Amino acid sequence: MGIKTIKTELKSAGVTYKIECTARNKTFILDEPEELGGSDGGMNPGEALLSALGGCKYIVAKMFYQKFDINLIKISIEMEGEIDLDALTNKANGNNKNQDIRVGFTKITTRWFVDANNTKEEIEKFISFVDAHCPMLDTLSNPPEFITEICDKKS
């Protein structure tokens, strides 16, 4: 299959921080909760990132469980990320004495709930395979080259 380019488009969906995200012919809304100045019209970007990572792991697990002879009955995942909500504001305002403070997630935890007729060791081996083959985990663990382009107004 080779290299495939995936493209999304994001544009304002109203007041405050509400954003309409479109890929192919699929759309969803990103927003911030009211306590962070948004209108709570959708997940915030951090929640969406955790969902994308968890969703990728889930899809890889569903693609390969039979290869590992996992007698899968049911599988679900909880994702949890730790982020310093004051870091961005403080850093942008120059209030942070520690300029090395991260504005992004400092820890991400995946909790697997696997109902299968397999041993714990078999499930652990399978989950290790999933993590090693999850494209979104690979992207976060080995960041790609980031390019920023400033373009003219879109018509």
Side-chain angles (χ1 to χ4, degrees):
M1 292 176 90
I3 302 293
K4 177 179 176 146
T5 300
I6 298 172
K7 184 176 178 181
T8 66
E9 183 175 323
L10 296 85
K11 61 185 178 183
S12 176
V15 296
T16 65
Y17 305 124
K18 200 171 186 183
I19 307 161
E20 180 182 274
C21 307
T22 305
R24 296 177 287 128
N25 61 347
K26 312 294 183 214
T27 300
F28 67 94
I29 298 294
L30 290 178
D31 199 356
E32 289 289 342
E34 290 177 0
E35 64 267 17
L36 294 178
S39 60
D40 204 24
M43 288 186 203
N44 69 30
E47 294 162 338
L49 184 138
L50 291 174
S51 294
L53 175 58
C56 187
K57 289 181 178 204
Y58 181 92
I59 289 169
V60 172
K62 292 292 279 193
M63 289 173 79
F64 291 102
Y65 76 93
Q66 292 173 327
K67 177 182 177 183
F68 281 78
D69 294 322
I70 300 296
N71 300 308
L72 189 61
I73 299 165
K74 184 178 174 186
I75 190 169
S76 63
I77 300 172
E78 285 181 3
M79 300 300 299
E80 182 177 277
E82 291 184 9
I83 190 166
D84 183 343
L85 292 179
D86 295 328
L88 175 61
T89 306
N90 289 340
K91 199 168 195 174
N93 292 332
N95 298 337
N96 239 343
K97 292 180 178 152
N98 180 2
Q99 289 299 309
D100 293 331
I101 194 164
R102 294 200 46 187
V103 296
F105 286 115
T106 55
K107 181 166 91 173
I108 296 176
T109 302
T110 304
R111 290 189 186 87
W112 289 89
F113 300 89
V114 181
D115 184 2
N117 296 321
N118 292 85
T119 67
K120 184 176 182 180
E121 292 76 24
E122 290 170 328
I123 292 171
E124 287 172 350
K125 181 179 177 184
F126 172 60
I127 297 304
S128 291
F129 171 88
V130 170
D131 279 348
H133 293 82
C134 173
M136 295 305 104
L137 180 56
D138 178 72
T139 300
L140 293 172
S141 300
N142 305 292
E145 174 185 10
F146 286 94
I147 299 169
T148 300
E149 297 176 347
I150 309 299
C151 304
D152 291 334
K153 286 191 273 184
K154 194 168 188 169
S155 39

